[in-house]
Amino acid sequence: MSNRTFTMIKPDATSKGYTGAILDQIIKAGFSIKAMKWIKLSHAQAGEFYAVHKERVFYGELVDFMSSGPIVAAILEKDNAVADFRTLIGATNPANAEEGTIRKRFAASIGENAVHGSDSDENAAIEGSFFFSGLERF
Ligand code: CMP
C-alpha cells in the first residue's frame, strides 16, 4: 500500500473558482500536499497524459477539455492515499457520486468532472512523474 496519490483540479473547476474550496476539502480530509503546480497543458501534453484512453470514443473530447484552461496538479500523501482519495472525490460520473464528495459538490458531468484521482499506486507514481521532477516534490 502506497501513501501517495496524484490529482488534478480540472479546467471546469478552476474556471468556476472552485480551486480553493476543493483544496480545502482535500486538506481537511487528511491529505498533505507534497508537490503542486498551476499549469495549462498543451493539446499534445493532455493527449500524452491520457494516452491509455486513446481508443475510447471520448478521448478527443477529453483531450480538448483538459487542454482548454489551467489545472492544478498535485501529489498528495496520506495512509491508503489512492483508495481514500477516490472515496473523497466520488464516482467518475457526478450523477452517481455520494453526497458530500468533491464531484457531487463541484462537478457538472462525466466529462467535466472537476478532479482526477489516480486509480492505482502504479499509476499514481507514473502520473506524478509526468508533472514533477525530483526537485519539485517533498
Ligand atoms: P479521470 O478520472 O480524469 O480519467 C479519465 C477521464 O475520462 C475521466 O476522469 C472522465 O473525465 C473522462 N470520461 C470517462 N468516461 C467518459 C465519457 N463517457 N464521456 C466523456 N468523458 C469521460
Side-chain angles (χ1 to χ4, degrees), residues 80-98:
N80 200 33
V82 168
D84 284 3
F85 192 71
R86 287 173 74 80
T87 300
L88 179 69
I89 65 179
T92 304
N93 186 344
N96 302 327
E98 296 285 332

Side-chain angles (χ1 to χ4, degrees), residues 53-136:
H53 294 305
K54 65 175 179 288
E55 306 304 331
R56 311 290 286 273
V57 288
F58 58 80
Y59 177 69
E61 188 185 318
L62 174 62
V63 172
D64 288 349
F65 167 61
M66 288 303 296
S67 56
S68 68
I71 63 162
V72 174
I75 295 172
L76 303 172
E77 188 169 271
K78 182 184 179 297
D79 288 347
N80 200 33
V82 168
D84 284 3
F85 192 71
R86 287 173 74 80
T87 300
L88 179 69
I89 65 179
T92 304
N93 186 344
N96 302 327
E98 296 285 332
E99 223 39 69
T101 59
I102 291 176
R103 283 174 171 153
K104 189 68 169 187
R105 293 181 67 200
F106 299 109
S109 67
I110 191 167
E112 303 200 359
N113 64 354
V115 284
H116 168 80
S118 302
D119 64 3
S120 66
D121 291 345
E122 185 190 7
N123 283 336
I126 292 168
E127 292 169 0
S129 296
F130 184 91
F131 282 90
F132 299 102
S133 73
L135 292 173
E136 295 172 314

